[in-house]
């Protein structure tokens, strides 16, 4: 049953957007359920505006009726920030219809796109014009540039190109009052006051709705080399990272580490992918070198790195991709770990960062503690070693009731991991954000003054709490 207010709002939204773009009945699972299928919300309505003006009008209408809005892009977020709560009173605002490329400026090396543009489409459009758009992650086939910016997504190219924040030069944003901030600047230098763009980036839909963005493009690298290597330990992986930096310089674009159990899950659930070397090493690493020099020169340098690494025992075996298709397959294996984990069953996710120098001790100590305290625990450790960011995940025991395992152990597992992160001066969310999943943990791990300033910013920009309430901040 809807209240009179809600009925009036729905009517107004239908007038603004058209009947077909205000959904309040039927199966809304794809909008209301999170990607991991662990949480399900209920929306008052799902609205699908076609342009910035409509987004602004929806926000105004909702603000006037005191109804809050949850912005959603591809709904691939991993911290439960993009679905409505269970109250049935929130409007879910999907940006998916807004996917136009507004301009591509080849001389300025920028592209301006609407927020609902799928990341992979953006990469392809850039490539067709002869440029590289480097942001790259496993969900790129369905996540959107708006969602990437709202979460300040990382991915596998951060080492060289930075995360979403570093790739963004300008934003168009609808504020909590329904005003439009036109800041789609393609400027690389602009010191005219507070950096509102960077405030919006990573704010997870709590400060404004991103409707368009101007993103940086890069020249397409002439050479691209990828190797998969077996390493004896995490310490060796870190040492290899240092060597790779030394030998490849800025050409080092990706450095990922994958634990044996993580790879065994890919082998088990996707055997056709033919995971290399996983049986012979506790960890494997994936190294990518992209360069502006010729493929032959780059290859020589890359092979030299591998020789040195063999020589000093950092790697025990390695395969090198012979062509782009093989390289893509190696990346595909790495990016399939999340799906393999989902196939295996319920799991607990951690997206942590600690200084790279502390990673070996962090892994050693946390592994030992979890194994000691949580019976049957299976550790799925992988991630962006080059950024000091690990997905230090925990899979429920192979046999037995995984639901019961999570019910009984999830909180304790999180405590152990987060306390360990704290000891090493790390972060409990390196790239996925806070959402509602970590909102109660944040006060224990964020500097209290920083947290207070965040609350004041939220209060200043969205005093009514219209935008994604209960996410990032309680
Ligand atoms: P959604 O999930 O729809 O939304 C995410 C958050 O942003 C929500 O809080 C939402 O309210 C807000 N939001 C969305 N659009 C807007 C907008 N236009 N304006 C304001 N707020 C908005 N993340 C990484 O950082 N690195 C990875 O390597 C990575 N790999 C992944 C692999 C898989 C298989 C999956 C499922 C997820 C992965 N993610 C990764 C997590 C996820 O953060 C990214 O997929 C992506 O950035 C989310 O984009 P989205 O469009 O799906 O956003
Ligand atoms: C990745 O790096 C993503 O593959 C997902 O950030 C991590 O599944 C995860 O925990
Ligand atoms: Zn990741």
């Amino acid at each position: 049953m809807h209240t009179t207010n809600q009925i009036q709002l729905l009517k107004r939204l239908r007038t603004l957007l058209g009947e077909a773009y205000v959904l309040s009945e039927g199966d809304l699972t794809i909008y209301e359920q999170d990607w991991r299928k662990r949480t399900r919300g209920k929306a008052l309505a799902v609205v699908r505006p076609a342009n910035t003006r409509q987004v602004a009008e929806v926000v105004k209408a909702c603000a006037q009726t005191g109804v809050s809005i949850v912005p959603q892009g591809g709904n691939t977020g991993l911290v439960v920030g993009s679905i409505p709560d269970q109250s049935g009173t929130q409007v879910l605002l999907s940006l998916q219809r807004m996917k136009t490329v507004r301009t591509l400026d080849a001389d300025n090396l920028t592209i301006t796109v609407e927020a609902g543009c799928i990341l992979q489409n953006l990469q392809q459009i850039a490539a067709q014009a002869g440029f590289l758009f480097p942001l790259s992650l496993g969900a790129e086939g369905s996540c959107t540039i708006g969602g990437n910016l709202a979460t300040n997504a990382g991915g596998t190219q951060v080492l060289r190109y930075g995360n979403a924040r570093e790739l963004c030069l300008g934003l168009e944003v609808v504020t909590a009052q329904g005003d439009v901030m036109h800041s789609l600047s393609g400027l690389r230098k602009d010191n005219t006051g507070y950096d509102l763009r960077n405030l919006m980036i990573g704010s997870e839909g709590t400060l404004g709705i991103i409707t368009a963005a101007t993103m940086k493009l890069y020249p397409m690298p002439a050479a691209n080399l990828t190797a998969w290597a077996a390493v004896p330990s995490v310490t060796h992986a870190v040492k290899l990272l240092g060597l790779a930096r030394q030998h490849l310089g800025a050409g080092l674009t990706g450095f990922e580490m994958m634990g044996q159990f993580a790879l065994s899950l890919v082998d088990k659930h996707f055997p056709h992918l033919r995971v290399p070397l996983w049986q012979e090493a506790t960890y494997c690493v994936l190294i990518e070198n992209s360069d502006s020099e010729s493929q032959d020169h780059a290859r020589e340098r890359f092979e030299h790195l591998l020789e040195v690494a063999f020589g000093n025992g950092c790697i025990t075996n390695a395969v090198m991709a012979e062509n782009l298709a093989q390289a893509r397959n190696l990346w595909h294996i790495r990016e399939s770990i999340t799906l393999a984990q989902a196939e295996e069953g319920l799991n607990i996710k951690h997206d942590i960062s600690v200084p790279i120098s502390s990673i070996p001790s962090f892994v050693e100590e946390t592994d030992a503690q979890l194994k000691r305290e949580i019976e049957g625990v299976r550790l799925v450790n992988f991630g962006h070693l080059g950024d000091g960011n690990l997905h230090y995940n925990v899979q429920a025991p192979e046999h037995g009731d995984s639901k019961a395992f999570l019910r009984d152990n999830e909180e304790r597992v999180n405590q152990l991991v987060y306390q360990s992160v704290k000891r090493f001066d790390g972060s409990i969310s390196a790239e996925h954000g806070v959402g509602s999943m970590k909102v109660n943990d944040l006060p224990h791990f964020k500097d209290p003054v920083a947290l207070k300033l965040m609350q004041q910013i939220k209060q200043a920009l969205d005093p009514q709490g219209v935008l994604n309430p209960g996410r990032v901040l309680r």
Side-chain angles (χ1 to χ4, degrees), residues 33-34 49 215 221 224 226 229 249 256 258 293 331 366 379 423:
Q33 189 174 53
D34 83 309
M215 306 300 293
N224 198 289
T226 308
E256 301 285 311
M258 298 146 291
E293 63 180 0
W331 277 108
T366 322
L379 301 175
R423 279 197 304 282

Side-chain angles (χ1 to χ4, degrees), residues 155 334 351 382-384 389 391 431-432:
R334 154 64 183 89
D351 164 38
F382 66 102
H384 319 285
N389 172 197
H391 299 303
E431 58 171 6
H432 296 163

Side-chain angles (χ1 to χ4, degrees), residues 221-240:
N224 198 289
L225 294 146
T226 308
W228 181 286
V231 296
S233 69
V234 181
T235 306
H236 288 92
V238 170
K239 206 165 152 204
L240 177 60

Side-chain angles (χ1 to χ4, degrees), residues 2-70:
H2 292 144
T3 64
T4 322
N5 245 359
Q6 288 172 335
I7 293 167
Q8 273 168 2
L9 176 64
L10 288 173
K11 204 169 152 204
R12 179 139 174 233
L13 293 173
R14 290 200 163 99
T15 313
L16 288 172
L17 307 187
E19 281 284 327
Y21 301 113
V22 180
L23 318 173
S24 57
E25 273 155 27
D27 185 6
L28 299 177
T29 312
I30 54 162
Y31 300 103
E32 293 180 334
Q33 189 174 53
D34 83 309
W35 188 87
R36 294 171 72 198
K37 300 188 171 68
R38 284 191 63 179
T39 315
R40 173 89 198 243
K42 172 94 192 86
L44 171 65
V46 172
V47 300
R48 307 180 72 233
N51 53 46
T52 305
R53 183 183 49 77
Q54 287 191 348
V55 174
E57 282 169 353
V58 169
V59 174
K60 276 187 187 146
C62 289
Q64 276 163 15
T65 11
V67 166
S68 59
I69 298 171
V70 180

Side-chain angles (χ1 to χ4, degrees), residues 325-344:
Q326 286 183 7
R328 281 208 185 106
N329 189 48
L330 293 177
W331 277 108
H332 188 46
I333 294 168
R334 154 64 183 89
E335 280 167 356
S336 299
I337 298 174
T338 302
L339 286 172
Q341 266 209 275
E343 288 292 320
E344 181 70 6

